[in-house]
Amino acid sequence: MPITTEVLDDTARVRIEGELTIYTVAELAAALLPQMGATPRLELDLSQVTEMDGAGLQLLAVLEREAGIAGTALSVTGQSQAVMQALQLCRSAAS
């Protein structure tokens, strides 16, 4: 599960490749949470995520909460098919 981070001007661009699952979220959280507040903006590219489960969704919710607390504008710039399916499941469950 490689993570690539690039900082340009006031934006950190983070690209996650591979799984965003219960098996990887602890490592991802350890890498991403310290970046909150380091730059005014954080762009999260999920276009290369191959699998996403409930733990991955929880991590996204935690990142959104922590970004708000730190004053970091968080945005998702890409969504793989796996990410779109997981988000779609959440929307249909909430209906």
Side-chain angles (χ1 to χ4, degrees):
M1 179 241 12
I3 301 172
T4 306
T5 303
E6 175 184 41
V7 178
L8 296 171
D9 298 324
D10 65 349
T11 303
R13 292 187 172 102
V14 178
R15 182 178 187 187
I16 299 172
E17 296 181 34
E19 294 182 10
L20 187 48
T21 66
I22 192 169
Y23 304 108
T24 61
V25 293
E27 185 179 344
L28 283 166
L32 294 173
L33 288 172
Q35 294 187 40
M36 294 301 164
T39 58
R41 300 182 195 317
L42 176 64
E43 292 181 357
L44 198 53
D45 181 353
L46 304 179
S47 63
Q48 300 303 309
V49 171
T50 57
E51 185 178 349
M52 185 172 182
D53 64 8
L57 290 167
Q58 285 180 313
L59 178 60
L60 292 181
V62 167
L63 291 174
E64 184 175 24
R65 181 191 71 209
E66 294 301 313
I69 292 169
T72 300
L74 176 66
S75 62
V76 175
T77 60
Q79 295 179 9
S80 69
Q81 187 68 26
V83 172
M84 288 189 291
Q85 287 174 342
L87 293 173
Q88 215 170 23
L89 264 172
C90 285
R91 286 187 198 111
S92 63
S95 301

